[in-house]
Amino acid sequence: MQLTGADIAIRCLQDEGIDFIFGYPGGAALHIYDALYKQDKVKHILVRHEQGATHAADGYARATGKPGVVLVTSGPGVTNTVTGIATAYMDSIPMVVLTAQVPSHLIGDDAFQEVDTVGITRPCVKHNFLVSDVTKLAETMKKAFYIASSGRPGPVVVDIPKDITAQVAEYHYPELVDMRSYQPRTRGHTRQISRGLDLLLGAKRPIIYTGGGVILGNAEAPLRKLVDMLNYPSTSTLMGLGAIPASNPNFLGMLGMHGTYESNMAMHDCDVMFAVGARFDDRVTGELSRFAPNARIIQIDIDPSSIGKNVSVEVPIVGDCDMVLSQMLEQLQGRLNEIDRSAIDQWWEQVNSWKSIDSLAYKTNDDSIVPQLVVERILEITEGEAYVTSDVGQHQMWAAQYYTFEKPRRWINSGGLGTMGFGLPAALGVQLAFPEETVICITGDASIQMCIQELSTCLQYGLPVKIINLNNQYMGMVRQWQEFFYDRRYSHSYMDALPDFVKLTESYGHVGMRVDKPKDLNETLEEAFALKDRLVFVDVITDPMVNVYPMIAAGKGHHEMELAPGQEEVQERELA
């Protein structure tokens, strides 16, 4: 079958089973867009900015587990995707980004809309390709999807010069590819798993610490079984929320800079730490010299370079989380009697005493809306069944703290890169994947303006996303740090000249609402969520000086958390 390079690219997407491609056209990509026009299997979603395309594909990938696909033109089309590519790279999200390039003979000549795509994206991709032979295009596409989705997932860029998309070649899409230099290991070493179990079963103050790798590896089922069998305390990173149900009695909540008191104290005092699909990010560890000083660590990760990268690990296990945990459960049979239940009971007494300090308690008032209350009301209205995206800042932390997730892949946010503007386009991608589900974007007045043009995309494709804007007229987290560490010098964190978000939303053809009184909050939110087939933007005017607690300040350990004003006395009594 003889096809042009453009037709080959689209046919590869069809044979790969791709449903959606998020993109924005331009001169170098027009052959590919013409090929898209001549078929109807792969649906193209026209975003309003290339960054929006990457975040939408990212959200789609996080919610479904399938690779997200992006198509952009050369030059500024490529450079506009870099933030989204880096976002996916930091959080290990499978994505294939097709970038058009100027014709081959012009590469290196500073041609119109030429950039060195391979060079620019190299630091923030799992791999990238520059296609120089149309006969290799199909194989390259297959490699791109294989690399993006296997091992530790990540974004892969395929840069295709315009002349390659015009040339003709015989089409054959390989069923499999064999890459000698890339052989990800999925099965854990049996002896290492046995060593890990020896350490875990002999623990007196254990904690199970889970991260985004559990969700990416679809390992929630064996993890939940292991937690229940061992009856050990467990905690999660921001990226791992939902792997263990929030209602599970063994779950202590999120840990880290804004984690719960009990999870951080247990992390600090544990004697054995079992890290599953977590990379010991600085927002989790705090000051490394103070991190879990007495812990012996077991770590499972599919990426060997992530093991022992930030902390010393006694038992490293390389492999897929699902596979390794399943192997561990097999070995665990008949060994549960090795656990010192008396020591574990004493450990639970200590953990429960920390838990008695309600570190997420907050105060309300009749004059202004506090943001924590907004998230709790959303949880009640949706009964915890929604897909929730966020941008980055205070609202992200409040969403993670107060919207309790029972299932994986329901919490969609930029963890590693912390990308403002992520929330709305990510919600767009999730809504396309699950058109019948409730999809919520919890955002802030600064973040939402980064990619607000995607309201137009939502109108074009009829996507009834619910946007909850926690509007405190500040870059909230910046203001909080300036209050704590810069003697309240609020340098350029106040969002002066904000738009009228209701009118702006209505100008895009959607429904806008505003609420600024606590007594009107419930009714407004219920009205918004009752509009099942409309995008609704709820501008919630919140108290501008509310801070995120608990908090571990820079240079502090997990046992040195700062609690909300009024809770310090409770903490001091407990410690005494």
Side-chain angles (χ1 to χ4, degrees):
M1 185 186 305
Q2 296 288 318
L3 297 176
T4 66
D7 289 323
I8 288 172
I10 301 307
R11 183 63 182 271
C12 290
L13 299 181
Q14 294 175 350
D15 289 348
E16 194 64 36
I18 301 303
D19 297 317
F20 297 104
I21 183 169
F22 302 88
Y24 201 95
L30 287 183
H31 291 326
I32 302 176
Y33 271 89
D34 193 50
L36 270 171
Y37 183 86
K38 294 182 290 187
Q39 58 85 56
D40 58 6
K41 290 185 179 180
V42 179
K43 186 170 183 178
H44 180 273
I45 304 301
L46 178 64
V47 296
R48 300 314 190 254
H49 190 286
E50 291 90 350
Q51 182 177 339
T54 54
H55 292 332
D58 185 324
Y60 176 89
R62 292 180 198 241
T64 64
K66 302 175 183 178
V69 184
V70 175
L71 171 61
V72 298
T73 194
S74 63
V78 169
T79 57
N80 282 346
T81 67
V82 172
T83 297
I85 293 171
T87 299
Y89 179 71
M90 287 288 283
D91 290 344
S92 304
I93 305 303
M95 183 187 296
V96 174
V97 183
L98 306 182
T99 59
Q101 184 56 277
V102 300
S104 301
H105 69 279
L106 293 179
I107 293 176
D109 289 353
D110 292 335
F112 177 67
Q113 292 193 332
E114 180 197 357
V115 297
D116 179 5
T117 298
V118 170
I120 287 172
T121 61
R122 183 177 287 119
C124 59
V125 295
K126 188 175 178 182
H127 195 67
N128 55 20
F129 298 93
L130 172 60
V131 181
S132 58
D133 184 346
V134 70
T135 65
K136 304 293 185 184
L137 177 55
E139 181 183 5
T140 300
M141 292 282 286
K142 185 65 179 181
K143 287 180 179 179
F145 280 101
Y146 174 62
I147 294 170
S149 302
S150 60
R152 179 180 181 175
V156 176
V157 167
V158 182
D159 198 31
I160 312 173
K162 188 171 184 178
D163 57 309
I164 298 297
T165 63
Q167 293 170 12
V168 175
E170 184 175 342
Y171 176 72
H172 170 69
Y173 195 60
E175 292 185 13
L176 300 171
V177 289
D178 183 29
M179 304 172 67
R180 186 174 62 179
S181 61
Y182 178 68
Q183 300 288 335
R185 180 174 181 173
T186 56
R187 189 171 179 81
H189 191 283
T190 303
R191 177 57 186 157
Q192 287 297 94
I193 292 173
S194 180
R195 286 185 60 214
L197 271 180
D198 290 343
L199 189 57
L200 195 58
L201 294 174
K204 298 185 183 301
R205 300 188 309 278
I207 191 162
I208 298 174
Y209 153 50
T210 65
V214 174
I215 292 174
L216 294 170
N218 300 308
E220 60 275 5
L223 173 67
R224 294 175 181 190
K225 186 173 182 180
L226 184 75
V227 168
D228 290 343
M229 289 177 69
L230 294 174
N231 192 30
Y232 286 177
S234 64
T235 184
S236 168
T237 67
L238 178 76
M239 300 305 299
L241 293 174
I244 299 173
S247 60
N248 187 307
N250 292 336
F251 186 60
L252 306 183
M254 183 177 71
L255 83 159
M257 178 175 283
H258 295 295
T260 64
Y261 183 68
E262 56 267 28
S263 65
N264 282 324
M265 290 297 289
M267 199 77 162
H268 181 267
D269 278 10
C270 72
D271 65 346
V272 172
M273 182 188 304
F274 182 29
V276 187
R279 60 188 178 90
F280 294 90
D281 172 75
D282 63 288
R283 285 298 192 264
V284 163
T285 64
E287 178 62 38
L288 281 172
S289 63
R290 296 167 179 249
F291 176 66
N294 302 310
R296 302 168 71 185
I297 299 174
I298 311 155
Q299 185 181 5
I300 300 173
D301 204 291
I302 193 141
D303 181 3
S305 70
S306 290
I307 295 183
K309 182 177 181 179
N310 296 324
V311 299
S312 297
V313 174
E314 185 166 332
V315 183
I317 306 173
V318 178
D320 176 77
C321 288
D322 183 35
M323 177 72 74
V324 174
L325 289 174
S326 297
Q327 291 176 261
M328 189 169 278
L329 286 170
E330 291 177 5
Q331 290 196 28
L332 188 59
Q333 300 298 328
R335 295 192 61 183
L336 289 173
N337 60 339
E338 298 176 31
I339 297 174
D340 184 345
R341 287 299 177 192
S342 175
I344 299 302
D345 289 343
Q346 291 181 30
W347 177 229
W348 268 114
E349 287 181 16
Q350 176 62 75
V351 170
N352 286 331
S353 72
W354 291 324
K355 204 171 185 178
S356 67
I357 299 175
D358 186 0
S359 59
L360 297 182
Y362 62 90
K363 296 179 180 179
T364 60
N365 62 73
D366 295 333
D367 299 321
S368 61
I369 300 172
V370 294
Q372 301 96 317
L373 177 65
V374 180
V375 179
E376 287 194 329
R377 292 294 178 265
I378 295 169
L379 175 68
E380 292 172 5
I381 291 170
T382 62
E383 299 179 340
E385 290 294 324
Y387 287 82
V388 180
T389 76
S390 81
D391 282 290
V392 172
Q394 288 181 315
H395 63 269
Q396 177 190 30
M397 294 299 104
W398 287 316
Q401 290 174 330
Y402 295 97
Y403 197 101
T404 50
F405 295 93
E406 297 291 314
K407 301 174 184 177
R409 299 191 182 276
R410 296 293 178 120
W411 170 231
I412 313 294
N413 80 117
S414 170
L417 196 64
T419 307
M420 294 173 71
F422 175 85
L424 174 55
L428 181 164
V430 176
Q431 191 75 80
L432 280 164
F434 301 105
E436 302 303 318
E437 299 288 342
T438 299
V439 180
I440 306 166
C441 171
I442 296 178
T443 186
D445 48 277
S447 286
I448 190 62
Q449 295 187 81
M450 293 281 187
C451 285
I452 200 165
Q453 71 283 339
E454 300 310 326
L455 285 174
S456 180
T457 307
C458 291
L459 181 69
Q460 180 170 344
Y461 298 99
L463 303 174
V465 173
K466 303 298 181 283
I467 302 168
I468 310 299
N469 184 37
L470 301 182
N471 187 344
N472 59 11
Q473 299 88 54
Y474 276 97
M475 300 176 200
M477 193 60 82
V478 174
R479 186 210 56 75
Q480 178 170 334
W481 280 55
Q482 288 172 336
E483 177 185 337
F484 287 3
F485 309 119
Y486 295 89
D487 198 24
R488 293 182 170 83
R489 293 186 295 274
Y490 300 125
S491 178
H492 298 283
S493 56
Y494 180 68
M495 296 297 291
D496 204 357
L498 285 173
D500 183 327
F501 286 110
V502 172
K503 289 182 179 178
L504 183 60
T505 301
E506 290 173 346
S507 75
Y508 276 103
H510 302 297
V511 177
M513 301 178 180
R514 179 182 292 109
V515 57
D516 57 7
K517 300 294 184 186
K519 63 182 180 62
D520 300 325
L521 179 63
N522 282 0
E523 182 180 351
T524 303
L525 289 176
E526 287 173 359
E527 182 183 354
F529 283 99
L531 296 173
K532 300 295 185 182
D533 61 346
R534 296 294 302 275
L535 182 148
V536 183
F537 189 117
V538 184
D539 190 24
V540 186
I541 309 303
T542 64
D543 187 329
M545 304 310 289
V546 175
N547 292 319
V548 180
Y549 289 103
M551 180 175 179
I552 303 175
K556 300 292 186 179
H558 283 69
H559 62 305
E560 299 171 302
M561 298 193 73
E562 183 172 346
L563 301 183
Q567 291 181 316
E568 299 94 335
E569 294 181 5
V570 180
Q571 180 185 20
E572 288 171 3
R573 285 200 302 270
E574 189 277 331
L575 292 175

